[in-house]
Amino acid sequence: MAIDATQPYDDDNIFAKILRGEIPNKTVYEDEHVLAFYDINPQAPQHILVIPKGKYVSWDDFSARASESDIAGFVRGVGHVAREAGMVEPGYRLLANIGQDGHQEVPHLHVHIFAGKPLGPMLAKG
Ligand code: AMP
């Protein structure tokens, strides 16, 4: 079910639990700003999620409230993960879903990295 991205941060969301180590994950990369791990239900041959360590509901919340340091750390973290995974030469796709129409399901900001095959047109029709 899609979330309402205008609601306050929920400490019980699944990515908050992953960050606290309460739920296991397959970590790809971690630094002081970000955690990157494999999506549990991959939609491409390579499907990695990158999340900031701070408590941000969505891209909207993050872009409005995060410090310059957190924003730089997150953007650099996403780029680093894709680069280290060898995705730059063949190419890859970034996606951040926000709120109801964006079909965001987890209320902690995450960027999807998809790669591993030609990904086709940007949006599914319908
Ligand atoms: P979104 O619709 O953008 O909120 O995407 C949420 C993503 O989180 C989906 O692609 C899920 O497959 C993924 N997901 C949910 N729970 C887990 C989990 N425990 N570990 C890894 N990925 C997860």
Side-chain angles (χ1 to χ4, degrees):
M1 206 178 80
I3 62 106
D4 178 350
T6 68
Q7 291 300 301
Y9 187 82
D10 173 9
D11 275 310
D12 285 333
N13 81 76
I14 198 153
F15 293 170
K17 291 179 180 174
I18 284 176
L19 281 171
R20 290 196 297 267
E22 295 166 11
I23 292 179
N25 74 94
K26 292 188 175 167
T27 299
V28 174
Y29 174 73
E30 181 170 14
D31 66 22
E32 65 177 303
H33 294 288
V34 304
L35 177 68
F37 51 97
Y38 289 107
D39 195 291
I40 204 167
N41 182 24
Q43 304 295 311
Q46 292 168 285
H47 184 174
I48 296 171
L49 300 173
V50 188
I51 67 176
K53 289 196 166 172
K55 298 180 179 184
Y56 301 103
V57 175
S58 72
W59 188 274
D60 177 68
D61 187 23
F62 186 69
S63 61
R65 288 199 305 110
S67 67
E68 308 292 303
S69 159
D70 277 357
I71 290 172
F74 186 63
V75 172
R76 288 197 188 280
V78 172
H80 177 81
V81 168
R83 204 174 303 118
E84 289 298 303
M87 296 172 175
V88 177
E89 190 275 323
Y92 62 99
R93 178 171 292 158
L94 300 181
L95 175 71
N97 295 321
I98 296 102
Q100 295 279 331
D101 283 0
H103 209 275
Q104 180 182 1
E105 292 188 322
V106 178
H108 182 114
L109 170 62
H110 48 286
V111 166
H112 298 255
I113 306 177
F114 302 105
K117 69 171 187 180
L119 294 164
M122 192 166 64
L123 289 173
K125 294 195 174 82

